[in-house]
Structure formats: C-alpha cells, structure tokens
Amino acid sequence: MSFDPLSTGRPQHHIRCLPGDVADKVLLPGDPRRAERIAQLLDDARHIATNREYATYTGTYQGVPVSVTSTGIGCPSTAIAIEELISVGARTLIRTGTSGSMTPDVSPGEVIVGTGAIREEGTGISYLPVEFPAVPDLDTTICLRAAAEALGLPVRAGVLHSKDSFYSHRDPGRVGVAQELRGKRAAWRAGGALASEMETSTLFILGSMLRVRTGSICMVASSHDASTRLTPEESAALIDKVITAALDALVLAESADRGDSSA
C-alpha cells in the first residue's frame, strides 16, 4: 500500500503544514528572512509555521492566494520543501533567489529567468536520470519574463547552473578535482549558461515528475570571477523587484487560467 501524506491528518514532517495552510501558488526563496519579506508584500499574510530552514506564510496578492516557503540552501532541502508543499496542495512553485554570473557578458544587477538548468547536483538523480532535462513550465516562464520586463528589470531568459558546493566553485584551485571543475565550467560557458545557483535544477525535475508548474527567477549578485558584488543596499532593492516580478507573474498566470484576455 502506498503512503498518502494527506491521509495522516498530521502536519508535514519538515515544513509543518497541513492541507489548507498553503495556497496552490508558492514562492520559494532560500532565506527564511526573505520569506518574511515576501510576506510583508502580501495582503492578510499569516505565519503558518517555522521549522528548521522552512518558514511558511500565506496571504493574497492582488486577490490571488499566494504562499511563500523558504527552502534553505541547496537541492536536498529544496526537494523536501517541494515534496511536502505539493502534498498539501501547491501546484505552481517559483524559485525567487540569487545567483552568480557565469560569464563576463552577465553583470551583477541583471536578472535571469531560467529556461533550463544544468544538473550538476546530486539530488535530482534520485528522481530522474541525468539524461532527463531540467526544464520549467513554459507558460510560467513566459509570465516571469513578461512581469520582469514590465517592471523595467534588466532581464534575460536562459540556462542556469545548479551545483551542490558553493566554495569549491568559487575557488577550484584548492580542491582535488580542480581540473574537472574548471573543464566543466568552461563547457557550461561555451554552452551559454548565464548564472550559477544551488536549487533550480531539482525544482524543475520535480515539477516535471510530479506534474506541477515551476519557474525560476534569480538576480545576479556577483560577477563571473567574484571580483565585484552588489552592495547590501543594491541587493535588497533588486531582490524586492525580483519578488514583485514573481508575484506579478502569478497574477498573470491566474488571469490566463481564467481566460482573461486583458491579462
């Protein structure tokens, strides 16, 4: 007999949410403090639960029910949040995060809407083989780009790179697989990867496998060689706009689902 987490009547093990606690549309920042900031932009937001790295709030945005759950850092904790959110009713999930440039052509302050993700992480292969592409929902991706453009953000749509290790990629010369890391990074750049982060690929893989909508929008916080970064003030201002773009995208998606031709 298969296990149905909805039939237990108990909160989800990690995010501590029950059916009815979470809207069908959810934003996924990494940082619990960013989840709190998103909640401040919602109407009638209420705190649902905080446990470990997972902080969840639910409210409305322009009349559309929206939740936000922080995922922590990396694909393993992100996968747990996604699985449990889907178990309590989430059907559209958008990562709203930060990234580092992969190429001199992408500068700090730009915004990337992911059209796919390089699967250089270990969590996704527990769900689907590495040959399966990590791609988002097309309609959600189109809404994200349109919302970002409407806000005047310097947005690009393209491939993100998802990894498990932060510091080995920042300074590959000191690790035992330096040659391999450098070779792969050169390959990702040759293929046109725009920015690197640590969660999107598993989100896309789970979205495909569990038949839910996914998207990812990330601000670029640092240059390709990490020599320049946004200031804390610049970063805070830009991430607020990225969050607004993600919320506006959910409104666009809701309007499209309802057949509102004015959307």
Side-chain angles (χ1 to χ4, degrees), residues 171-197:
D171 186 13
R174 65 187 178 86
V175 302
V177 291
Q179 185 174 353
E180 179 181 353
L181 286 178
R182 286 172 174 147
K184 284 186 175 181
R185 191 171 183 89
W188 309 148
R189 286 174 174 167
L194 298 179
S196 181
E197 50 82 78

Side-chain angles (χ1 to χ4, degrees), residues 236-250:
L238 182 57
I239 198 64
D240 272 1
K241 291 183 179 179
V242 168
I243 290 166
T244 300
L247 290 168
D248 289 347
L250 292 177

Side-chain angles (χ1 to χ4, degrees), residues 33-34 66 70 111 118 141 185 249 254 256:
R33 290 178 298 179
R34 192 173 301 143
V66 175
S70 55
V111 174
I118 297 164
T141 302
R185 191 171 183 89
E254 179 78 3

Side-chain angles (χ1 to χ4, degrees), residues 35 53-54 75 101 112 149 159 174 182 195 197 208 232 243:
E53 60 263 61
Y54 306 112
C75 287
S101 171
I112 309 300
E149 289 175 342
V159 174
R174 65 187 178 86
R182 286 172 174 147
E197 50 82 78
S208 293
I243 290 166

Side-chain angles (χ1 to χ4, degrees), residues 55-173:
T56 299
Y57 302 82
T58 295
T60 62
Y61 182 77
Q62 296 184 23
V64 177
V66 175
S67 292
V68 52
T69 296
S70 55
T71 64
I73 298 174
C75 287
S77 62
T78 299
I80 289 171
I82 294 166
E83 290 250 34
E84 295 189 4
L85 285 165
I86 291 171
S87 290
V88 293
R91 294 297 178 266
T92 300
L93 301 101
I94 296 177
R95 167 160 159 71
T96 53
T98 60
S99 61
S101 171
M102 289 282 285
T103 169
D105 296 334
V106 176
S107 302
E110 294 193 62
V111 174
I112 309 300
V113 171
T115 58
I118 297 164
R119 299 177 60 189
E120 196 177 5
E121 43 81 15
T123 304
I125 60 174
S126 295
Y127 292 94
L128 290 170
V130 71
E131 293 84 1
F132 194 94
V135 292
D137 173 69
L138 178 60
D139 292 334
T140 302
T141 302
I142 290 171
C143 288
L144 280 170
R145 184 172 68 173
E149 289 175 342
L151 290 173
L153 288 170
V155 61
R156 301 192 195 195
V159 174
L160 291 164
H161 165 251
S162 297
K163 59 187 181 292
D164 279 335
S165 171
F166 182 83
Y167 286 106
S168 67
H169 284 263
R170 286 283 298 272
D171 186 13

